[in-house]
């Protein structure tokens, strides 16, 4: 299993970006997927995660609630993170990760629950 994150870039505050996490290998529909971010000098934090069941069972971190949306397309083996109304404090490297052992409605929030990690994609938001 490999996860490929993409879609980052440099934008102005208030702009939008859509990150994609594309998985290779089988059984993607059995994976819960999370988006984490890490800013310089800060701890890695979970931004959003989605269960195997889809958007009906998802987690959105409080600071991005109402601005970020997570969704998945199993046919494309892809999880998306739509980021609207971006703020400078959203600047970070964003990583996607997959938990291929999650039960159907479960949304893993602990990084240790994720077995597979993609490389990061840089998001820079300037004011």
């Amino acid at each position: 299993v490999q996860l490929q994150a993409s879609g980052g870039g440099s934008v102005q505050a208030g702009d939008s970006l859509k990150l994609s996490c594309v998985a290779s290998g089988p059984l993607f529909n059995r994976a819960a997927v999370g988006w984490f971010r890490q800013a310089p000098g800060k701890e890695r934090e979970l931004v959003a995660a989605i269960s195997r069941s889809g958007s009906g069972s998802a987690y959105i971190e409080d600071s991005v609630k109402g601005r970020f949306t997570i969704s998945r397309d199993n046919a494309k083996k892809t999880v998306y993170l739509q980021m609207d109304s971006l703020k400078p404090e959203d600047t970070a490297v964003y990583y996607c990760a997959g938990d291929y052992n999650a039960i159907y409605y479960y949304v893993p929030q602990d990084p240790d629950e994720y077995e597979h990690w993609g490389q990061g994609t840089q998001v820079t938001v300037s004011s």
Side-chain angles (χ1 to χ4, degrees), residues 51-93:
S51 70
R52 290 170 52 189
S53 68
S55 300
S57 183
Y59 166 86
I60 302 291
E61 197 270 328
D62 283 346
S63 71
V64 304
K65 203 166 286 184
R67 300 189 296 120
F68 289 13
T69 305
I70 189 169
S71 62
R72 67 187 297 157
D73 184 336
N74 286 342
K76 295 182 178 180
K77 296 185 179 180
T78 301
V79 169
Y80 302 100
L81 184 66
Q82 177 67 46
M83 306 187 295
D84 299 321
S85 302
L86 282 161
K87 302 177 179 180
E89 51 263 44
D90 295 320
T91 295
V93 178

Side-chain angles (χ1 to χ4, degrees), residues 66-126:
R67 300 189 296 120
F68 289 13
T69 305
I70 189 169
S71 62
R72 67 187 297 157
D73 184 336
N74 286 342
K76 295 182 178 180
K77 296 185 179 180
T78 301
V79 169
Y80 302 100
L81 184 66
Q82 177 67 46
M83 306 187 295
D84 299 321
S85 302
L86 282 161
K87 302 177 179 180
E89 51 263 44
D90 295 320
T91 295
V93 178
Y94 284 71
Y95 301 88
C96 64
D99 175 2
Y100 279 66
N101 294 307
I103 58 176
Y104 194 63
Y105 290 107
Y106 182 65
V107 183
Q109 298 183 31
D110 185 334
D112 291 339
E113 297 181 277
Y114 292 87
E115 311 90 50
H116 302 285
W117 290 79
Q119 90 298 349
T121 185
Q122 176 71 47
V123 172
T124 303
V125 185
S126 55

